[in-house]
């Protein structure tokens, strides 16, 4: 009967699927939690302890949420897609062969490919790692955390902007508790989805411009979930403990009088140094395609005597990696760094993702000193950074 077919289909696509993946998903979440705890202990030089009952309870809650999401998703597909198909088959008098072919196609389309499930597992691991780290910080009295993105050509605008930010752990604990207190028993998938999204919503690229104009305290008020990545599908960003004793060396004189169009108003000295450290690890920064053509046309032959892209990009990289002076400023609300090199007779402007925005040559005597003098009232000096 129609009712029996629906019930069997719901079981096969939801409950049976949950049963089949429950153990594996539990193992994934357990590994993610234990790995995060180990990394936390190593980062602050302590033994973080053994995997205890409370931590197992957290992993079990997160696994149940993941399983609920999987099961309800496919159960809803049955109701949304199978019911209309059955109604059509009955009203039009399909043969068994016609119905079988249509059902086969329907179930095939309901299934997701391996890439989807791989990304689903990665997201589950990222969330579990974030919660494990917050729980370890809570247990050991860590007050602040740093957001650390993997900075490369895959880094999203959201993660570029959040990289290096120093945020408050108590606010992260509050969001973590809300997520772990969420229940799935007797609730529809739409209800649970809505609540999860209200607690830890995926962030949008459109949020980046607003974030750039906020202090870290304001950022956490406006976006409370910034302490619990993932921020988007396939997000690789993580949080680490921020201990003042481990602060990066360097100095940024943020009290220096600066033209209001270039002033940095909402980042601390350490957040600026964190962002700088993040991009300096990239030995092969890219040149922005948007800026490349005009820059090469203006400065390739004229400034450097270079007539091809490869050599021009290499010149920009040489300057970027071997600066005598580093300065920073904001441009259209976003942080940028300028790297000056006497040796390579030029300077490079790069953004917080290490993308080169401009490369300029100055080969005459004292040209770099003159270029520095020209930005004294526009840019901040960064000193003591190797």
């Amino acid at each position: 009967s129609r009712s029996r077919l629906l019930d069997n289909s719901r079981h096969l696509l939801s409950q049976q699927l949950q049963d089949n993946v429950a153990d594996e998903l539990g193992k994934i979440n357990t590994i993610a939690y234990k790995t995060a705890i180990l990394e936390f202990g190593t980062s602050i030089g302590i033994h973080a302890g053994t995997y205890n009952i409370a931590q197992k309870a957290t992993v079990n809650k997160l696994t149940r949420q993941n399983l609920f999401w999987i099961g309800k998703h496919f159960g809803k597909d049955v109701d949304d897609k199978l019911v209309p198909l059955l109604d059509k088959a009955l009203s039009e008098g399909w043969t068994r062969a016609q119905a079988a072919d249509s059902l086969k196609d329907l179930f095939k389309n309901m299934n997701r490919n391996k890439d989807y499930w791989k990304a689903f597992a990665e997201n589950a691991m990222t969330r579990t790692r974030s919660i494990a780290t917050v729980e370890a910080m809570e247990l050991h009295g860590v007050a602040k955390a740093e957001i650390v993105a993997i900075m490369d050509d895959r880094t999203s605008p959201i993660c570029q902007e959040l990289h290096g930010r120093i945020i408050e752990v108590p606010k992260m604990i509050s969001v973590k508790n809300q997520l772990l207190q969420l229940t799935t028993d007797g609730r529809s998938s739409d209800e649970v989805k809505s609540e999860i999204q209200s607690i830890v919503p995926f962030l949008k690229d459109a949020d980046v411009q607003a974030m750039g104009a906020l202090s870290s305290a304001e950022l956490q008020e406006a976006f409370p979930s910034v302490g619990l990545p993932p921020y988007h599908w396939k997000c690789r960003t993580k949080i680490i403990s921020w201990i003042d004793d481990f602060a990066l060396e360097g100095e940024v004189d943020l009290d220096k009088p600066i033209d209001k169009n270039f002033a940095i108003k909402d980042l601390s000295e350490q957040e600026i140094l964190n962002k700088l450290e993040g991009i300096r690890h990239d030995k092969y920064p890219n040149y922005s395609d948007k800026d490349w053509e005009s820059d090469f046309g203006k400065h390739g032959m004229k400034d450097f005597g270079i007539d091809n892209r490869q050599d021009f990009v290499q010149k920009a990289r040489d300057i970027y990696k071997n600066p005598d002076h580093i300065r920073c400023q904001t441009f259209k609300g976003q942080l940028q760094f300028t790297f000056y090199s006497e040796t390579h007779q030029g300077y490079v402007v790069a953004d917080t993702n290490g993308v080169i925005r401009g490369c300029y040559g100055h080969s005459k005597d004292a040209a770099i000193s003159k270029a520095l003098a020209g930005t004294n009232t526009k840019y901040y000096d960064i000193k003591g950074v190797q």
Side-chain angles (χ1 to χ4, degrees):
S1 70
R2 176 176 179 272
S3 176
R4 176 179 244 171
L5 180 57
L6 281 173
D7 288 341
N8 288 339
S9 298
R10 287 193 189 97
H11 175 75
L12 288 171
L13 282 174
S14 58
Q15 188 58 53
Q16 184 169 316
L17 180 59
Q18 289 185 55
D19 294 342
N20 289 340
V21 303
D23 286 345
E24 290 304 313
L25 190 56
K27 289 176 184 176
I28 287 171
N29 280 333
T30 300
I31 291 170
Y33 196 103
K34 289 182 175 179
T35 301
I37 293 299
L38 180 63
E39 288 180 352
F40 167 80
T42 301
S43 71
I44 64 172
I46 65 166
H47 176 61
T50 57
Y51 186 54
N52 61 41
I53 293 174
Q55 293 168 337
K56 289 178 183 177
T58 293
V59 170
N60 289 339
K61 286 178 183 177
L62 293 172
T63 301
R64 284 199 299 273
Q65 287 181 14
N66 293 148
L67 291 172
F68 175 86
W69 194 268
I70 292 170
K72 287 295 185 181
H73 167 78
F74 283 96
K76 190 172 187 299
D77 270 355
V78 172
D79 291 340
D80 290 348
K81 298 175 183 178
L82 182 57
V83 171
L85 182 67
L86 289 176
D87 287 340
K88 185 175 182 181
L90 291 171
S91 64
E92 295 180 4
W94 289 3
T95 66
R96 287 192 176 192
Q98 285 177 301
D101 287 341
S102 296
L103 286 170
K104 182 174 68 175
D105 290 339
L106 176 67
F107 288 129
K108 182 179 179 181
N109 291 333
M110 281 185 185
N111 196 14
R112 301 293 189 115
N113 60 33
K114 289 182 179 179
D115 288 340
Y116 171 84
W117 291 116
K118 181 175 181 290
F120 183 92
E122 289 172 352
N123 270 36
M125 287 185 71
T126 299
R127 179 79 71 214
T128 300
R129 286 170 65 98
S130 296
I131 288 175
T133 303
V134 172
E135 290 197 332
M137 292 176 181
E138 182 179 13
L139 180 63
H140 293 278
V142 176
K144 295 181 180 180
E146 180 188 350
I147 299 172
V148 179
I150 296 174
M151 305 295 277
D152 56 26
D153 58 1
R154 291 171 51 201
T155 310
S156 69
I158 284 288
C159 293
Q160 291 174 36
E161 176 56 41
L162 292 176
H163 172 77
R165 291 279 198 159
I166 301 169
I167 54 178
E168 303 291 331
V169 171
K171 294 179 180 178
M172 296 160 60
I173 293 170
S174 175
V175 177
K176 180 263 298 184
N177 288 342
Q178 289 180 56
L179 189 61
L180 292 181
Q181 289 162 7
L182 182 148
T183 61
T184 58
D185 296 342
R187 304 180 67 190
S188 72
S189 57
D190 286 341
E191 287 177 324
V192 174
K193 179 180 178 181
S194 178
E195 187 170 351
I196 290 175
Q197 288 179 336
S198 70
I199 298 169
V200 283
F202 275 175
L203 302 176
K204 305 178 184 66
D205 288 350
D207 296 324
V208 170
Q209 195 66 38
M211 288 177 172
L214 299 175
S215 66
S216 290
E218 293 169 335
L219 180 73
Q220 278 190 281
E221 289 296 328
F223 302 94
S225 64
V226 294
L228 290 175
Y231 303 128
H232 54 79
W233 193 243
K234 296 186 177 182
C235 181
R236 299 170 294 160
T237 296
K238 64 180 182 179
I239 50 173
I240 64 172
S241 301
W242 176 258
I243 309 294
D244 288 338
D245 290 346
F246 300 162
L248 299 169
E249 293 185 1
E251 181 182 338
V252 185
D253 182 9
L254 292 175
D255 293 326
K256 178 181 178 181
I258 292 291
D259 183 301
K260 65 180 181 179
N261 294 316
F262 301 93
I264 298 172
K265 300 175 183 177
D266 301 302
L267 291 175
S268 70
E269 178 179 70
Q270 275 303 315
E271 286 172 322
I272 292 169
L273 294 173
N274 291 345
K275 288 179 178 290
L276 176 59
E277 183 194 41
I279 70 170
R280 291 296 300 283
H281 286 305
D282 184 359
K283 296 180 180 179
Y284 305 103
N286 296 313
Y287 207 107
S288 165
D289 288 336
K290 179 180 178 182
D291 299 322
W292 143 253
E293 216 169 299
S294 63
D295 272 13
F296 180 65
K298 292 177 183 177
H299 306 289
M301 281 298 296
K302 180 181 177 183
D303 290 355
F304 297 107
I306 293 173
D307 63 0
N308 65 85
R309 175 167 183 158
Q310 181 178 348
D311 289 345
F312 186 66
V313 171
Q314 186 57 53
K315 170 63 74 172
R317 288 173 174 171
D318 289 341
I319 294 170
Y320 175 91
K321 295 303 293 183
N322 301 282
D324 300 299
H325 308 279
I326 305 175
R327 288 186 165 179
C328 60
Q329 77 283 352
T330 55
F331 180 71
K332 295 183 179 180
Q334 302 300 306
L335 183 65
Q336 289 187 344
F337 297 95
T338 304
F339 304 88
Y340 299 85
S341 174
E342 301 276 4
T343 303
H344 295 283
Q345 297 183 312
Y347 65 94
V348 160
V349 178
D351 66 17
T352 53
N353 196 30
V355 174
I356 296 169
R357 295 298 179 183
C359 178
Y360 312 92
H362 288 279
S363 57
K364 295 180 180 178
D365 291 343
I368 295 299
S369 297
K370 291 178 181 177
L372 283 167
T375 58
N376 275 339
T377 60
K378 293 182 179 180
Y379 301 169
Y380 299 89
D381 291 307
I382 299 179
K383 299 177 181 178
V385 175
Q386 299 300 315

